[in-house]
Structures are given as C-alpha cells and as structure tokens.
Amino acid sequence: MTTQILETPEADLTYDVHGPLPTADGRPPLVMIGLPMDASGFRALASHFPDRTVITCDPRGLGRSTRKDGRVDHAPQTHAADVHAVVEALGAGPVELFASSGGAVTALALVAAYPEDVTTLVAHEPPLIAVLPDAQAAERARAGIRDAYEKKGWGAGMAAFIAMTSWQGEFTDDYFAQPAPDPASFGMPTEDDGSRDDPLLSDRSWEVSSYRPDVDALTAAPTRVVIAVGEESRDTFTGRTSVATAELLGQQATVFPSHHGGFVDGEFGFPGQPEAFARKLREVLDDAS
C-alpha cells in the first residue's frame, strides 16, 4: 500500500493505493468511499480483494484529508468533485466504485456530474430522506438527533442516532412519543465532553441526507448504477431509503449480507460480515464484466 496526497486549492485529499497502477489484471481500479467514514473503515473489505487494485479515500475535512476552504459543511457535490479529482489523479481511466452511506450519496452526485468517471457504481444504503414517503417525519427525527447532541453532548446524540436508525418502518407518532434514549443503555458516555462538531450528529451533514438524486442524469449516464441494501436493514431508515432510491431508478435494490456496516469487522463496534459482503460485491462487479 502507498499513501498519496492530492493537493487542490480547497483541500489536501489523502488516499491509499492498495496494489499496482496501472492495474495488474487490466480491470479498472476499485475505489471505496464513505462519509463520514474515512479510508480506515474499508480495511476489512479491501483485504478481501487482494487480486484487485483498491483505492480508499478520506473525504475532505475527515480523517487525514484537510480542508483549506474555511468550511465545515459536507455538500455531496463538493465531495463528488474531490472524488473526480482523485480519479483523474489515478490516471487509470474510469473506475469501479463501492460507496456506502453518505459516500453513496457522494457517488450518486459524482455519476450525475462526471458520468465518464465510473463504469459500475454499487451505492450501499444512501440515507436520502427526500425519497421517503414520510420525509417530513424523517426530517423531524433527524432534527431530534441534532437537538439531543446540542443539549447533552456526544453520548446523548449517539443514543438518539441509534434510536432513529434502528426504528422499523415509517416515523410515526409512536416514534416521537418515546422517552429520550439513555446513552448508558448503549454503552455510551453520559457526561458531556463539550464538543459540538461531530459530522454525524450535528447539522453539518444535513446536505447529504437532504440530497435529491438527479434521476435524469443518472439514467442517462453510461455508468451501471446498483443500489444495495443490507438484508438486516430492510425496514430501517437506510434500508427504506435504499429501496426507494432503487425504485426511482427503475430497479430493485440488490440485497447484500448483514446491515448498514456489513463490510466492517469488530474494530468499529457492531461487526458485519465482511467476507460474505466481499463475495457479494465481487459477484455484482463481475456481472458487469
């Protein structure tokens, strides 16, 4: 593995290259992106592709990628332009792209704006509120996370985040009638450390979950777009957004093993099934070959 830093006027973008460039097998590089997850979150998944050249990236302002634009928000179009810059820097032609969570939203913006960059996109559980029939209620639930974080800190915010993302089905009155979840019940700290800059719990990433996919641009692009959903996520928030996004694009969501973090191991909390997840990803990518 080698680590590269791409310096742009607005950010210094750090990415890791696992394998040779040009690729040894003649296939495009396989790029993996997330948000707010950085490259470290793809360690387990990348390890199951020893025969491929894999690129893992830190989004601007996260991990090792530093911002120079004076901003703290996370606009999908901005991150998409960064991924485009990395693809150009690789000099290896269009890439295959696996993108998860907020990274999947970045990837949809990338394909819409730079359709020649990607041959196949596997967009895993993009958290797109706008595609839901209960979008207004989902926005209210999202605001509840921010409010808990602002009032009581990281533990309370994370407890509210878990409560929202694990809720089954639409956000009904029953959801909002619940008492505030206890951080201790999730093993979270109850004391307030004073920070209010978490990209997941603050409103800094609301542009991600509020993003509306450009359906016309996506369907017109030469890119094969696959919307993926975890088999354990079906009725949760990100499962529902995945199914609805797939329907917008005239397809059914492709089912992957495990949950929203199904490609990670125990290093990041609730473990997924990275080996089985990698097999499914390989199968989906090979279908386009």
PDB file of all heavy atoms in Angstrom, residues 25-58:
ATOM      1  N   ASP A  25      -4.369  -6.690 -13.432  1.00  0.00           N
ATOM      2  CA  ASP A  25      -5.329  -7.569 -14.108  1.00  0.00           C
ATOM      3  C   ASP A  25      -6.038  -6.906 -15.277  1.00  0.00           C
ATOM      4  O   ASP A  25      -6.896  -7.511 -15.922  1.00  0.00           O
ATOM      5  CB  ASP A  25      -6.364  -8.104 -13.109  1.00  0.00           C
ATOM      6  CG  ASP A  25      -7.132  -6.982 -12.413  1.00  0.00           C
ATOM      7  OD1 ASP A  25      -6.872  -5.806 -12.716  1.00  0.00           O
ATOM      8  OD2 ASP A  25      -7.994  -7.299 -11.571  1.00  0.00           O
ATOM      9  N   GLY A  26      -5.722  -5.646 -15.542  1.00  0.00           N
ATOM     10  CA  GLY A  26      -6.362  -4.954 -16.651  1.00  0.00           C
ATOM     11  C   GLY A  26      -7.745  -4.409 -16.330  1.00  0.00           C
ATOM     12  O   GLY A  26      -8.346  -3.723 -17.157  1.00  0.00           O
ATOM     13  N   ARG A  27      -8.255  -4.707 -15.135  1.00  0.00           N
ATOM     14  CA  ARG A  27      -9.550  -4.177 -14.742  1.00  0.00           C
ATOM     15  C   ARG A  27      -9.381  -2.786 -14.147  1.00  0.00           C
ATOM     16  O   ARG A  27      -8.298  -2.405 -13.707  1.00  0.00           O
ATOM     17  CB  ARG A  27     -10.221  -5.109 -13.734  1.00  0.00           C
ATOM     18  CG  ARG A  27     -10.639  -6.438 -14.333  1.00  0.00           C
ATOM     19  CD  ARG A  27     -11.477  -7.251 -13.362  1.00  0.00           C
ATOM     20  NE  ARG A  27     -12.739  -6.587 -13.037  1.00  0.00           N
ATOM     21  CZ  ARG A  27     -13.708  -7.158 -12.338  1.00  0.00           C
ATOM     22  NH1 ARG A  27     -13.549  -8.398 -11.878  1.00  0.00           N
ATOM     23  NH2 ARG A  27     -14.833  -6.510 -12.083  1.00  0.00           N
ATOM     24  N   PRO A  28     -10.455  -2.017 -14.099  1.00  0.00           N
ATOM     25  CA  PRO A  28     -10.344  -0.687 -13.501  1.00  0.00           C
ATOM     26  C   PRO A  28      -9.993  -0.783 -12.017  1.00  0.00           C
ATOM     27  O   PRO A  28     -10.292  -1.789 -11.368  1.00  0.00           O
ATOM     28  CB  PRO A  28     -11.757  -0.099 -13.680  1.00  0.00           C
ATOM     29  CG  PRO A  28     -12.424  -0.946 -14.701  1.00  0.00           C
ATOM     30  CD  PRO A  28     -11.815  -2.308 -14.596  1.00  0.00           C
ATOM     31  N   PRO A  29      -9.385   0.242 -11.459  1.00  0.00           N
ATOM     32  CA  PRO A  29      -9.220   0.276 -10.008  1.00  0.00           C
ATOM     33  C   PRO A  29     -10.588   0.227  -9.338  1.00  0.00           C
ATOM     34  O   PRO A  29     -11.577   0.725  -9.887  1.00  0.00           O
ATOM     35  CB  PRO A  29      -8.530   1.619  -9.749  1.00  0.00           C
ATOM     36  CG  PRO A  29      -7.931   2.031 -11.054  1.00  0.00           C
ATOM     37  CD  PRO A  29      -8.817   1.451 -12.108  1.00  0.00           C
ATOM     38  N   LEU A  30     -10.626  -0.362  -8.148  1.00  0.00           N
ATOM     39  CA  LEU A  30     -11.846  -0.408  -7.355  1.00  0.00           C
ATOM     40  C   LEU A  30     -11.713   0.623  -6.233  1.00  0.00           C
ATOM     41  O   LEU A  30     -10.885   0.461  -5.329  1.00  0.00           O
ATOM     42  CB  LEU A  30     -12.058  -1.808  -6.779  1.00  0.00           C
ATOM     43  CG  LEU A  30     -13.193  -2.002  -5.764  1.00  0.00           C
ATOM     44  CD1 LEU A  30     -14.529  -1.533  -6.342  1.00  0.00           C
ATOM     45  CD2 LEU A  30     -13.264  -3.450  -5.311  1.00  0.00           C
ATOM     46  N   VAL A  31     -12.501   1.679  -6.318  1.00  0.00           N
ATOM     47  CA  VAL A  31     -12.453   2.765  -5.346  1.00  0.00           C
ATOM     48  C   VAL A  31     -13.542   2.533  -4.300  1.00  0.00           C
ATOM     49  O   VAL A  31     -14.669   2.151  -4.633  1.00  0.00           O
ATOM     50  CB  VAL A  31     -12.643   4.129  -6.027  1.00  0.00           C
ATOM     51  CG1 VAL A  31     -12.670   5.262  -5.001  1.00  0.00           C
ATOM     52  CG2 VAL A  31     -11.541   4.373  -7.062  1.00  0.00           C
ATOM     53  N   MET A  32     -13.206   2.768  -3.028  1.00  0.00           N
ATOM     54  CA  MET A  32     -14.161   2.621  -1.925  1.00  0.00           C
ATOM     55  C   MET A  32     -14.239   3.925  -1.163  1.00  0.00           C
ATOM     56  O   MET A  32     -13.213   4.448  -0.710  1.00  0.00           O
ATOM     57  CB  MET A  32     -13.721   1.487  -0.987  1.00  0.00           C
ATOM     58  CG  MET A  32     -13.631   0.126  -1.648  1.00  0.00           C
ATOM     59  SD  MET A  32     -13.060  -1.159  -0.476  1.00  0.00           S
ATOM     60  CE  MET A  32     -13.125  -2.616  -1.547  1.00  0.00           C
ATOM     61  N   ILE A  33     -15.466   4.461  -1.018  1.00  0.00           N
ATOM     62  CA  ILE A  33     -15.640   5.732  -0.318  1.00  0.00           C
ATOM     63  C   ILE A  33     -16.805   5.662   0.664  1.00  0.00           C
ATOM     64  O   ILE A  33     -17.773   4.932   0.460  1.00  0.00           O
ATOM     65  CB  ILE A  33     -15.870   6.916  -1.286  1.00  0.00           C
ATOM     66  CG1 ILE A  33     -17.134   6.709  -2.127  1.00  0.00           C
ATOM     67  CG2 ILE A  33     -14.651   7.130  -2.175  1.00  0.00           C
ATOM     68  CD1 ILE A  33     -17.528   7.936  -2.947  1.00  0.00           C
ATOM     69  N   GLY A  34     -16.695   6.445   1.728  1.00  0.00           N
ATOM     70  CA  GLY A  34     -17.761   6.589   2.705  1.00  0.00           C
ATOM     71  C   GLY A  34     -17.885   8.044   3.118  1.00  0.00           C
ATOM     72  O   GLY A  34     -17.175   8.911   2.630  1.00  0.00           O
ATOM     73  N   LEU A  35     -18.799   8.302   4.048  1.00  0.00           N
ATOM     74  CA  LEU A  35     -18.974   9.617   4.654  1.00  0.00           C
ATOM     75  C   LEU A  35     -19.985   9.460   5.792  1.00  0.00           C
ATOM     76  O   LEU A  35     -21.098   9.002   5.531  1.00  0.00           O
ATOM     77  CB  LEU A  35     -19.491  10.634   3.641  1.00  0.00           C
ATOM     78  CG  LEU A  35     -19.526  12.089   4.098  1.00  0.00           C
ATOM     79  CD1 LEU A  35     -18.123  12.692   4.056  1.00  0.00           C
ATOM     80  CD2 LEU A  35     -20.464  12.930   3.253  1.00  0.00           C
ATOM     81  N   PRO A  36     -19.603   9.781   7.015  1.00  0.00           N
ATOM     82  CA  PRO A  36     -18.332  10.346   7.469  1.00  0.00           C
ATOM     83  C   PRO A  36     -17.200   9.325   7.621  1.00  0.00           C
ATOM     84  O   PRO A  36     -16.117   9.684   8.052  1.00  0.00           O
ATOM     85  CB  PRO A  36     -18.701  10.956   8.818  1.00  0.00           C
ATOM     86  CG  PRO A  36     -19.794  10.092   9.336  1.00  0.00           C
ATOM     87  CD  PRO A  36     -20.597   9.703   8.121  1.00  0.00           C
ATOM     88  N   MET A  37     -17.433   8.069   7.286  1.00  0.00           N
ATOM     89  CA  MET A  37     -16.363   7.070   7.370  1.00  0.00           C
ATOM     90  C   MET A  37     -15.211   7.442   6.445  1.00  0.00           C
ATOM     91  O   MET A  37     -15.429   7.867   5.305  1.00  0.00           O
ATOM     92  CB  MET A  37     -16.906   5.692   7.001  1.00  0.00           C
ATOM     93  CG  MET A  37     -15.889   4.576   7.042  1.00  0.00           C
ATOM     94  SD  MET A  37     -16.644   2.954   6.706  1.00  0.00           S
ATOM     95  CE  MET A  37     -17.358   2.604   8.310  1.00  0.00           C
ATOM     96  N   ASP A  38     -13.996   7.289   6.952  1.00  0.00           N
ATOM     97  CA  ASP A  38     -12.828   7.538   6.120  1.00  0.00           C
ATOM     98  C   ASP A  38     -12.238   6.205   5.653  1.00  0.00           C
ATOM     99  O   ASP A  38     -12.861   5.145   5.792  1.00  0.00           O
ATOM    100  CB  ASP A  38     -11.801   8.400   6.853  1.00  0.00           C
ATOM    101  CG  ASP A  38     -11.303   7.765   8.154  1.00  0.00           C
ATOM    102  OD1 ASP A  38     -11.278   6.521   8.261  1.00  0.00           O
ATOM    103  OD2 ASP A  38     -10.914   8.521   9.064  1.00  0.00           O
ATOM    104  N   ALA A  39     -11.052   6.247   5.099  1.00  0.00           N
ATOM    105  CA  ALA A  39     -10.448   5.057   4.496  1.00  0.00           C
ATOM    106  C   ALA A  39     -10.276   3.912   5.489  1.00  0.00           C
ATOM    107  O   ALA A  39     -10.349   2.734   5.105  1.00  0.00           O
ATOM    108  CB  ALA A  39      -9.093   5.427   3.879  1.00  0.00           C
ATOM    109  N   SER A  40     -10.081   4.230   6.763  1.00  0.00           N
ATOM    110  CA  SER A  40      -9.838   3.178   7.749  1.00  0.00           C
ATOM    111  C   SER A  40     -11.014   2.218   7.865  1.00  0.00           C
ATOM    112  O   SER A  40     -10.835   1.049   8.211  1.00  0.00           O
ATOM    113  CB  SER A  40      -9.537   3.799   9.116  1.00  0.00           C
ATOM    114  OG  SER A  40     -10.656   4.523   9.607  1.00  0.00           O
ATOM    115  N   GLY A  41     -12.216   2.689   7.552  1.00  0.00           N
ATOM    116  CA  GLY A  41     -13.388   1.832   7.660  1.00  0.00           C
ATOM    117  C   GLY A  41     -13.476   0.748   6.605  1.00  0.00           C
ATOM    118  O   GLY A  41     -14.281  -0.181   6.738  1.00  0.00           O
ATOM    119  N   PHE A  42     -12.658   0.851   5.562  1.00  0.00           N
ATOM    120  CA  PHE A  42     -12.703  -0.136   4.475  1.00  0.00           C
ATOM    121  C   PHE A  42     -11.554  -1.133   4.546  1.00  0.00           C
ATOM    122  O   PHE A  42     -11.341  -1.901   3.607  1.00  0.00           O
ATOM    123  CB  PHE A  42     -12.694   0.590   3.127  1.00  0.00           C
ATOM    124  CG  PHE A  42     -13.911   1.443   2.917  1.00  0.00           C
ATOM    125  CD1 PHE A  42     -13.861   2.818   3.142  1.00  0.00           C
ATOM    126  CD2 PHE A  42     -15.112   0.882   2.539  1.00  0.00           C
ATOM    127  CE1 PHE A  42     -14.978   3.604   2.978  1.00  0.00           C
ATOM    128  CE2 PHE A  42     -16.246   1.663   2.358  1.00  0.00           C
ATOM    129  CZ  PHE A  42     -16.173   3.029   2.586  1.00  0.00           C
ATOM    130  N   ARG A  43     -10.825  -1.125   5.660  1.00  0.00           N
ATOM    131  CA  ARG A  43      -9.680  -2.029   5.799  1.00  0.00           C
ATOM    132  C   ARG A  43     -10.089  -3.486   5.610  1.00  0.00           C
ATOM    133  O   ARG A  43      -9.473  -4.223   4.836  1.00  0.00           O
ATOM    134  CB  ARG A  43      -9.042  -1.842   7.179  1.00  0.00           C
ATOM    135  CG  ARG A  43      -7.829  -2.744   7.424  1.00  0.00           C
ATOM    136  CD  ARG A  43      -7.464  -2.777   8.892  1.00  0.00           C
ATOM    137  NE  ARG A  43      -8.578  -3.174   9.732  1.00  0.00           N
ATOM    138  CZ  ARG A  43      -9.003  -4.440   9.853  1.00  0.00           C
ATOM    139  NH1 ARG A  43      -8.418  -5.414   9.178  1.00  0.00           N
ATOM    140  NH2 ARG A  43     -10.031  -4.722  10.635  1.00  0.00           N
ATOM    141  N   ALA A  44     -11.136  -3.923   6.304  1.00  0.00           N
ATOM    142  CA  ALA A  44     -11.550  -5.328   6.228  1.00  0.00           C
ATOM    143  C   ALA A  44     -12.025  -5.677   4.824  1.00  0.00           C
ATOM    144  O   ALA A  44     -11.659  -6.720   4.269  1.00  0.00           O
ATOM    145  CB  ALA A  44     -12.640  -5.618   7.257  1.00  0.00           C
ATOM    146  N   LEU A  45     -12.842  -4.825   4.223  1.00  0.00           N
ATOM    147  CA  LEU A  45     -13.370  -5.114   2.890  1.00  0.00           C
ATOM    148  C   LEU A  45     -12.256  -5.158   1.855  1.00  0.00           C
ATOM    149  O   LEU A  45     -12.199  -6.078   1.024  1.00  0.00           O
ATOM    150  CB  LEU A  45     -14.408  -4.061   2.511  1.00  0.00           C
ATOM    151  CG  LEU A  45     -15.117  -4.270   1.171  1.00  0.00           C
ATOM    152  CD1 LEU A  45     -15.858  -5.597   1.127  1.00  0.00           C
ATOM    153  CD2 LEU A  45     -16.076  -3.105   0.891  1.00  0.00           C
ATOM    154  N   ALA A  46     -11.354  -4.188   1.899  1.00  0.00           N
ATOM    155  CA  ALA A  46     -10.255  -4.153   0.926  1.00  0.00           C
ATOM    156  C   ALA A  46      -9.381  -5.396   1.021  1.00  0.00           C
ATOM    157  O   ALA A  46      -8.850  -5.871   0.005  1.00  0.00           O
ATOM    158  CB  ALA A  46      -9.415  -2.892   1.133  1.00  0.00           C
ATOM    159  N   SER A  47      -9.259  -5.945   2.229  1.00  0.00           N
ATOM    160  CA  SER A  47      -8.398  -7.126   2.407  1.00  0.00           C
ATOM    161  C   SER A  47      -8.925  -8.351   1.670  1.00  0.00           C
ATOM    162  O   SER A  47      -8.178  -9.296   1.422  1.00  0.00           O
ATOM    163  CB  SER A  47      -8.245  -7.450   3.896  1.00  0.00           C
ATOM    164  OG  SER A  47      -9.442  -7.990   4.441  1.00  0.00           O
ATOM    165  N   HIS A  48     -10.195  -8.336   1.309  1.00  0.00           N
ATOM    166  CA  HIS A  48     -10.785  -9.467   0.594  1.00  0.00           C
ATOM    167  C   HIS A  48     -10.690  -9.307  -0.927  1.00  0.00           C
ATOM    168  O   HIS A  48     -11.262 -10.113  -1.674  1.00  0.00           O
ATOM    169  CB  HIS A  48     -12.244  -9.649   1.017  1.00  0.00           C
ATOM    170  CG  HIS A  48     -12.397 -10.135   2.435  1.00  0.00           C
ATOM    171  ND1 HIS A  48     -12.090 -11.424   2.817  1.00  0.00           N
ATOM    172  CD2 HIS A  48     -12.785  -9.483   3.566  1.00  0.00           C
ATOM    173  CE1 HIS A  48     -12.310 -11.560   4.118  1.00  0.00           C
ATOM    174  NE2 HIS A  48     -12.721 -10.405   4.594  1.00  0.00           N
ATOM    175  N   PHE A  49      -9.968  -8.286  -1.378  1.00  0.00           N
ATOM    176  CA  PHE A  49      -9.730  -8.084  -2.809  1.00  0.00           C
ATOM    177  C   PHE A  49      -8.228  -8.007  -3.085  1.00  0.00           C
ATOM    178  O   PHE A  49      -7.745  -7.039  -3.694  1.00  0.00           O
ATOM    179  CB  PHE A  49     -10.434  -6.813  -3.291  1.00  0.00           C
ATOM    180  CG  PHE A  49     -11.919  -6.925  -3.350  1.00  0.00           C
ATOM    181  CD1 PHE A  49     -12.699  -6.641  -2.234  1.00  0.00           C
ATOM    182  CD2 PHE A  49     -12.554  -7.346  -4.511  1.00  0.00           C
ATOM    183  CE1 PHE A  49     -14.079  -6.759  -2.275  1.00  0.00           C
ATOM    184  CE2 PHE A  49     -13.933  -7.461  -4.570  1.00  0.00           C
ATOM    185  CZ  PHE A  49     -14.698  -7.177  -3.443  1.00  0.00           C
ATOM    186  N   PRO A  50      -7.457  -9.036  -2.689  1.00  0.00           N
ATOM    187  CA  PRO A  50      -6.005  -8.984  -2.870  1.00  0.00           C
ATOM    188  C   PRO A  50      -5.592  -9.012  -4.338  1.00  0.00           C
ATOM    189  O   PRO A  50      -4.462  -8.631  -4.674  1.00  0.00           O
ATOM    190  CB  PRO A  50      -5.510 -10.229  -2.131  1.00  0.00           C
ATOM    191  CG  PRO A  50      -6.668 -11.182  -2.190  1.00  0.00           C
ATOM    192  CD  PRO A  50      -7.877 -10.315  -2.064  1.00  0.00           C
ATOM    193  N   ASP A  51      -6.493  -9.451  -5.199  1.00  0.00           N
ATOM    194  CA  ASP A  51      -6.199  -9.536  -6.637  1.00  0.00           C
ATOM    195  C   ASP A  51      -6.543  -8.253  -7.379  1.00  0.00           C
ATOM    196  O   ASP A  51      -6.279  -8.156  -8.584  1.00  0.00           O
ATOM    197  CB  ASP A  51      -6.995 -10.688  -7.260  1.00  0.00           C
ATOM    198  CG  ASP A  51      -8.490 -10.551  -7.005  1.00  0.00           C
ATOM    199  OD1 ASP A  51      -8.868 -10.149  -5.884  1.00  0.00           O
ATOM    200  OD2 ASP A  51      -9.287 -10.848  -7.916  1.00  0.00           O
ATOM    201  N   ARG A  52      -7.138  -7.290  -6.699  1.00  0.00           N
ATOM    202  CA  ARG A  52      -7.546  -6.049  -7.335  1.00  0.00           C
ATOM    203  C   ARG A  52      -6.726  -4.883  -6.789  1.00  0.00           C
ATOM    204  O   ARG A  52      -6.243  -4.928  -5.653  1.00  0.00           O
ATOM    205  CB  ARG A  52      -9.035  -5.752  -7.053  1.00  0.00           C
ATOM    206  CG  ARG A  52     -10.036  -6.780  -7.563  1.00  0.00           C
ATOM    207  CD  ARG A  52     -10.175  -6.737  -9.083  1.00  0.00           C
ATOM    208  NE  ARG A  52     -10.497  -5.412  -9.567  1.00  0.00           N
ATOM    209  CZ  ARG A  52     -11.751  -4.950  -9.718  1.00  0.00           C
ATOM    210  NH1 ARG A  52     -12.773  -5.710  -9.395  1.00  0.00           N
ATOM    211  NH2 ARG A  52     -11.970  -3.734 -10.205  1.00  0.00           N
ATOM    212  N   THR A  53      -6.579  -3.845  -7.572  1.00  0.00           N
ATOM    213  CA  THR A  53      -6.039  -2.592  -7.060  1.00  0.00           C
ATOM    214  C   THR A  53      -7.195  -1.810  -6.454  1.00  0.00           C
ATOM    215  O   THR A  53      -8.150  -1.451  -7.148  1.00  0.00           O
ATOM    216  CB  THR A  53      -5.363  -1.781  -8.178  1.00  0.00           C
ATOM    217  OG1 THR A  53      -4.225  -2.498  -8.647  1.00  0.00           O
ATOM    218  CG2 THR A  53      -4.918  -0.420  -7.659  1.00  0.00           C
ATOM    219  N   VAL A  54      -7.105  -1.568  -5.159  1.00  0.00           N
ATOM    220  CA  VAL A  54      -8.180  -0.910  -4.408  1.00  0.00           C
ATOM    221  C   VAL A  54      -7.696   0.454  -3.928  1.00  0.00           C
ATOM    222  O   VAL A  54      -6.577   0.585  -3.422  1.00  0.00           O
ATOM    223  CB  VAL A  54      -8.611  -1.775  -3.205  1.00  0.00           C
ATOM    224  CG1 VAL A  54      -9.648  -1.036  -2.353  1.00  0.00           C
ATOM    225  CG2 VAL A  54      -9.174  -3.119  -3.677  1.00  0.00           C
ATOM    226  N   ILE A  55      -8.548   1.457  -4.082  1.00  0.00           N
ATOM    227  CA  ILE A  55      -8.249   2.811  -3.637  1.00  0.00           C
ATOM    228  C   ILE A  55      -9.233   3.166  -2.522  1.00  0.00           C
ATOM    229  O   ILE A  55     -10.454   3.051  -2.719  1.00  0.00           O
ATOM    230  CB  ILE A  55      -8.405   3.846  -4.776  1.00  0.00           C
ATOM    231  CG1 ILE A  55      -7.765   3.345  -6.083  1.00  0.00           C
ATOM    232  CG2 ILE A  55      -7.875   5.203  -4.345  1.00  0.00           C
ATOM    233  CD1 ILE A  55      -6.293   3.147  -6.026  1.00  0.00           C
ATOM    234  N   THR A  56      -8.734   3.557  -1.366  1.00  0.00           N
ATOM    235  CA  THR A  56      -9.593   4.011  -0.280  1.00  0.00           C
ATOM    236  C   THR A  56      -9.260   5.467   0.029  1.00  0.00           C
ATOM    237  O   THR A  56      -8.091   5.859   0.025  1.00  0.00           O
ATOM    238  CB  THR A  56      -9.424   3.136   0.972  1.00  0.00           C
ATOM    239  OG1 THR A  56      -8.042   3.088   1.355  1.00  0.00           O
ATOM    240  CG2 THR A  56      -9.908   1.717   0.706  1.00  0.00           C
ATOM    241  N   CYS A  57     -10.287   6.264   0.297  1.00  0.00           N
ATOM    242  CA  CYS A  57     -10.116   7.712   0.381  1.00  0.00           C
ATOM    243  C   CYS A  57     -10.637   8.274   1.701  1.00  0.00           C
ATOM    244  O   CYS A  57     -11.606   7.767   2.265  1.00  0.00           O
ATOM    245  CB  CYS A  57     -10.879   8.401  -0.754  1.00  0.00           C
ATOM    246  SG  CYS A  57     -10.514   7.785  -2.418  1.00  0.00           S
ATOM    247  N   ASP A  58     -10.009   9.353   2.153  1.00  0.00           N
ATOM    248  CA  ASP A  58     -10.537  10.159   3.252  1.00  0.00           C
ATOM    249  C   ASP A  58     -11.238  11.377   2.651  1.00  0.00           C
ATOM    250  O   ASP A  58     -10.622  12.134   1.897  1.00  0.00           O
ATOM    251  CB  ASP A  58      -9.407  10.652   4.160  1.00  0.00           C
ATOM    252  CG  ASP A  58      -8.802   9.548   5.016  1.00  0.00           C
ATOM    253  OD1 ASP A  58      -9.298   8.404   4.953  1.00  0.00           O
ATOM    254  OD2 ASP A  58      -7.836   9.836   5.739  1.00  0.00           O
TER     255      ASP A  58
END
